[in-house]
């Protein structure tokens, strides 16, 4: 079991399915699950109204019809909550599915920030999945954090926890399956992935491991037609930022007016 567990982490960047990803297990699994239309077919067209601040970044809304990746850099002295809230609300109100990865703050804290701006977000709980890396990595069994997470789950919001970089990869797959189950159809809604300060996981793992994750996820999500948004501090490890700048389609910063501007 330990050998398969380590093998899964190293060679598949996964924390689950040790058997199905080893010893020919994946080959058998593909035979049993032939219907992959939801995963492989193109998603529905993205509503231009769902772009919010992103609308001003491209010459045409059609730029975002395909899978795209955007790196948003912010000044750590001025957290970009206005931009983050717009990224979430514009997607939800525009019929997109949002998977939000939070590493520096617990999931309920992000929800409350958005709720304070627009209480109508309660209508869209089934379109939002939090991938919470904060609680397993930095929560350290603090009961109040667990209680607040459960309160949010009781509202109907889906939360998947991830305690490592491999766990984050596993959690994104679980979030995808949660959305698939809720959709109850073969056609996917446009999907927006928001990675909020994943660089924080390097403190519990390594910069190289985080780079490895993004080397896989950015091209993969682009192939799925997803809109991948990575939010990072300008003071994050330069090795990670240089890697991300090479991988993404666009690099942006928040200007003095609180809007996004393209820097690459």
């Amino acid at each position: 079991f330990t050998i398969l567990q380590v093998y899964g982490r190293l060679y598949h960047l996964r924390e689950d399915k040790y058997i199905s990803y080893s010893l020919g297990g994946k080959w058998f699994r593909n035979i049993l699950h032939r219907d992959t239309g939801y995963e492989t077919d193109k998603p529905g067209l993205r509503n231009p109204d769902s772009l919010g601040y992103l609308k001003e970044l491209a010459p045409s809304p059609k730029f975002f019809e395909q899978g795209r990746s955007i790196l948003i850099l912010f000044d750590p002295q001025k957290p970009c909550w206005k931009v983050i809230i717009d990224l979430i609300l514009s997607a939800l109100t525009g019929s997109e599915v949002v998977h939000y990865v939070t590493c520096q703050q617990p999931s309920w804290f992000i929800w409350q920030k958005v709720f304070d701006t627009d209480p109508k977000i309660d209508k869209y709980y089934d379109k939002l999945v939090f991938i919470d890396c904060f609680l397993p990595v930095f929560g350290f069994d603090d009961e109040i954090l667990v209680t607040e997470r459960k309160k949010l789950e009781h509202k109907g919001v889906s939360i998947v926890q991830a305690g490592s970089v491999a766990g984050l990869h596993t959690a994104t797959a679980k979030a995808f399956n949660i959305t698939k189950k809720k959709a109850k159809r073969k056609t996917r809604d446009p999907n927006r992935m928001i990675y909020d300060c994943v660089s924080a996981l390097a403190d519990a793992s390594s910069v190289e491991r985080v780079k490895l994750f993004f080397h896989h996820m950015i091209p993969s999500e682009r192939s799925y037609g997803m809109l991948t948004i990575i939010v990072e501090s300008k003071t994050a490890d330069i090795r990670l930022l240089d890697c991300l700048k090479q991988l993404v389609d666009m690099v942006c910063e928040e200007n003095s007016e609180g809007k996004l501007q393209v820097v690459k």
Side-chain angles (χ1 to χ4, degrees):
F1 174 80
T2 301
I3 291 173
L4 290 177
Q5 187 179 49
V6 173
Y7 178 84
R9 289 171 180 169
L10 292 178
Y11 293 99
H12 297 286
L13 202 64
R14 296 289 293 262
E15 287 277 12
D16 62 347
K17 299 181 179 178
Y18 307 125
I19 301 298
S20 62
Y21 278 97
S22 308
L23 306 174
K26 192 170 184 179
W27 182 77
F28 284 109
R29 189 165 60 89
N30 289 338
I31 291 177
L32 295 174
H33 300 281
R34 292 182 179 275
D35 186 7
T36 58
Y38 185 87
E39 289 82 357
T40 56
D41 291 347
K42 290 184 178 180
L45 292 178
R46 182 168 280 110
N47 183 349
D49 293 334
S50 72
L51 295 176
Y53 288 169
L54 300 178
K55 192 182 299 183
E56 303 173 7
L57 301 181
S60 168
K62 291 184 178 180
F63 177 83
F64 293 105
E65 286 184 1
Q66 304 176 13
R68 297 290 182 181
S69 54
I70 302 170
L71 171 63
I72 298 177
L73 299 173
F74 68 92
D75 185 340
Q77 302 299 321
K78 301 176 183 178
C80 54
W81 287 115
K82 186 177 179 181
V83 171
I84 288 175
I85 291 170
D86 176 79
L87 291 173
I88 297 173
L89 281 176
S90 61
L92 293 176
T93 57
S95 300
E96 285 192 42
V97 170
V98 177
H99 294 170
Y100 192 102
V101 178
T102 176
C103 298
Q104 286 194 328
Q105 300 288 349
S107 51
W108 57 264
F109 183 85
I110 306 297
W111 174 273
Q112 191 62 48
K113 282 282 187 182
V114 182
F115 182 85
D116 290 343
T117 302
D118 186 356
K120 293 180 181 178
I121 189 178
D122 273 343
K123 297 192 303 183
Y124 305 106
Y125 69 84
D126 59 331
K127 292 282 189 179
L128 174 64
V129 180
F130 278 110
I131 300 171
D132 191 343
C133 298
F134 173 84
L135 194 56
V137 178
F138 303 112
F140 295 111
D141 304 314
D142 197 327
E143 292 181 0
I144 187 63
L145 297 177
V146 176
T147 300
E148 293 296 334
R149 188 206 76 215
K150 290 181 178 178
K151 287 181 182 178
L152 184 54
E153 289 178 319
H154 288 158
K155 287 179 177 285
V157 179
S158 298
I159 302 175
V160 184
Q161 296 189 76
S164 65
V165 177
L168 174 55
H169 186 207
T170 303
T172 59
K174 289 181 178 178
F176 188 90
N177 288 332
I178 288 172
T179 301
K180 177 180 179 179
K181 185 176 181 180
K182 287 181 177 180
K184 297 180 180 179
R185 61 180 185 277
K186 290 186 177 181
T187 304
R188 281 187 289 128
D189 288 328
N191 191 309
R192 183 172 304 191
M193 290 292 310
I194 303 177
Y195 293 95
D196 189 352
C197 295
V198 176
S199 59
L201 296 184
D203 293 336
S205 180
S206 69
V207 173
E208 288 74 21
R209 200 74 173 148
V210 177
K211 286 169 60 179
L212 180 67
F213 171 79
F214 280 123
H215 269 293
H216 166 69
M217 293 303 291
I218 291 175
S220 177
E221 290 174 1
R222 185 187 291 119
S223 300
Y224 276 110
M226 296 180 181
L227 180 56
T228 302
I229 301 171
I230 303 163
V231 183
E232 283 291 346
S233 167
K234 294 178 182 178
T235 60
D237 193 295
I238 189 64
R239 293 171 294 171
L240 175 60
L241 294 184
D242 284 346
C243 171
L244 289 173
K245 289 175 182 178
Q246 294 178 50
L247 290 171
V248 299
D249 300 308
M250 183 183 292
V251 181
C252 305
E253 292 183 3
E254 186 180 20
N255 60 25
S256 57
E257 298 177 355
K259 299 292 183 68
L260 294 175
Q261 62 182 21
V262 179
V263 295
K264 178 215 169 189

